[in-house]
Amino acid sequence: MGTAPNTVKNNNILSPPRPCVRYAFYMTSTTAKPRRSNGLAGPAAKGVDRVLISKTRLQRRVKELAAELSAEYAEGEVVCVGALNGVICFLADLVREMDIPAPVELVHVDRFIDERGHTVEMPNPFRESLRGRDVLIVEDIVDTGVTLKLLVDKVLAENPASVKVCTLLDKPAHREVDVQIDYVGFSIDPVFVVGYGLDYEGFYRNLPFVGVVDSAVWPPALLERPKFDS
Ligand code: 5GP
């Protein structure tokens, strides 16, 4: 049987095929699609002002955090608790880089902003029992700290063996509540960020990088806050 053109004749199946003349023509022809040099060219990123943390930096940092966590819990396992929806990308990537048993427990947190300020509630209980287990709360971003404080209190009420916190992003400038964070991916300035799970009005979660939306009104509910006469 003859060999197909442009296949590599060795035993290393990972070797890429050598470029052929047709391929070289395609790359230089005017019909080739423009490359997305900064990740902002596609429609999914419309409205994003700049990339703050690139996909490459995210991947590298997630691997570093996963290695540290795998070493920390090397003797056993750790239950990773995350609040939907913002944590989806970070949590999925983090646990896949960890080489220890890491069951995942996802919860919903409701946020309200009214005249009394920023309050959060966790409407449903944990489905996994956390009693006597090592728990890692995985957060997408810690801003005021109110959400993290609620999660820590809810986990502690289950009598775990230990509780630690890992967040991808930390915005210490906005902190209102004192919370301890054990692992931080990136400490950032008080800008509004989207991407890699974080949204603005439901969009941008699927961006592979973290970007900044300068025009974002945050928190959005502030727009609906009732006005009182003094
Ligand atoms: P905290 O309770 O710490 O004020 O806020 C935590 C939650 O607010 C996060 O889980 C996230 O949903 C939201 N949040 C805070 N800062 C940002 C931000 O810059 N971008 C986005 N998309 N969400 C944020």
Side-chain angles (χ1 to χ4, degrees), residues 24-46:
F25 169 75
Y26 172 75
M27 292 303 284
T28 55
S29 80
T30 51
T31 56
K33 288 186 182 162
R35 288 192 63 220
R36 294 182 186 179
S37 55
N38 63 2
L40 292 176
K46 197 171 173 212

Side-chain angles (χ1 to χ4, degrees), residues 12 20 26-27 34 37 43 68 76 86 92 107 110 129 140-141 151 164 174-175 191-192 200 202-203 209-210 212 220:
N12 181 358
C20 65
Y26 172 75
M27 292 303 284
S37 55
E68 288 176 42
V107 295
D110 293 331
S129 170
D140 47 357
I141 184 164
L151 286 171
K164 295 217 169 185
H174 279 176
R175 196 74 89 248
V191 288
F192 186 81
Y200 183 48
F203 293 94
F209 57 85
V210 172
V212 177

Side-chain angles (χ1 to χ4, degrees), residues 26-223:
Y26 172 75
M27 292 303 284
T28 55
S29 80
T30 51
T31 56
K33 288 186 182 162
R35 288 192 63 220
R36 294 182 186 179
S37 55
N38 63 2
L40 292 176
K46 197 171 173 212
V48 178
D49 293 292
R50 61 189 181 279
V51 175
L52 187 65
I53 308 169
S54 69
K55 179 180 175 181
T56 310
R57 281 183 71 202
L58 285 169
Q59 285 173 338
R60 198 184 310 137
R61 189 71 186 114
V62 169
K63 279 188 181 166
E64 287 169 0
L65 289 169
E68 288 176 42
L69 291 164
S70 299
E72 162 115 36
Y73 298 102
E75 301 304 314
E77 60 172 52
V78 63
V79 185
C80 295
V81 170
L84 293 167
N85 291 337
V87 82
I88 49 170
C89 296
F90 178 46
L91 184 60
D93 286 349
L94 186 70
V95 293
R96 283 181 295 172
E97 292 292 342
M98 286 162 63
D99 58 7
I100 51 166
V104 170
E105 174 73 2
L106 295 171
V107 295
H108 284 277
V109 172
D110 293 331
R111 298 184 183 83
F112 306 97
I113 298 177
D114 57 20
E115 63 278 10
R116 287 170 301 161
H118 183 170
T119 52
V120 288
E121 279 173 18
M122 199 179 102
N124 301 314
F126 296 107
R127 289 186 306 171
E128 285 259 343
S129 170
L130 305 181
R131 176 179 291 272
R133 303 176 79 180
D134 291 319
V135 175
L136 179 71
I137 297 175
V138 181
E139 274 275 50
D140 47 357
I141 184 164
V142 181
D143 192 18
T144 63
V146 172
T147 309
L148 176 57
K149 173 84 170 53
L150 172 86
L151 286 171
V152 170
D153 289 347
K154 292 282 184 188
V155 170
L156 284 175
E158 301 289 310
N159 294 313
S162 71
V163 186
K164 295 217 169 185
V165 174
C166 173
T167 186
L168 176 69
L169 305 172
D170 184 20
K171 271 202 264 186
H174 279 176
R175 196 74 89 248
E176 291 173 13
V177 180
D178 194 21
V179 281
Q180 185 187 323
I181 306 177
D182 304 283
Y183 296 88
V184 175
F186 300 91
S187 188
I188 63 170
D189 289 336
V191 288
F192 186 81
V193 287
V194 295
Y196 198 59
L198 289 158
D199 77 314
Y200 183 48
E201 295 181 346
F203 293 94
Y204 302 129
R205 289 197 202 278
N206 58 326
L207 296 178
F209 57 85
V210 172
V212 177
V213 177
D214 288 320
S215 59
V217 178
W218 181 259
L222 278 178
L223 293 170

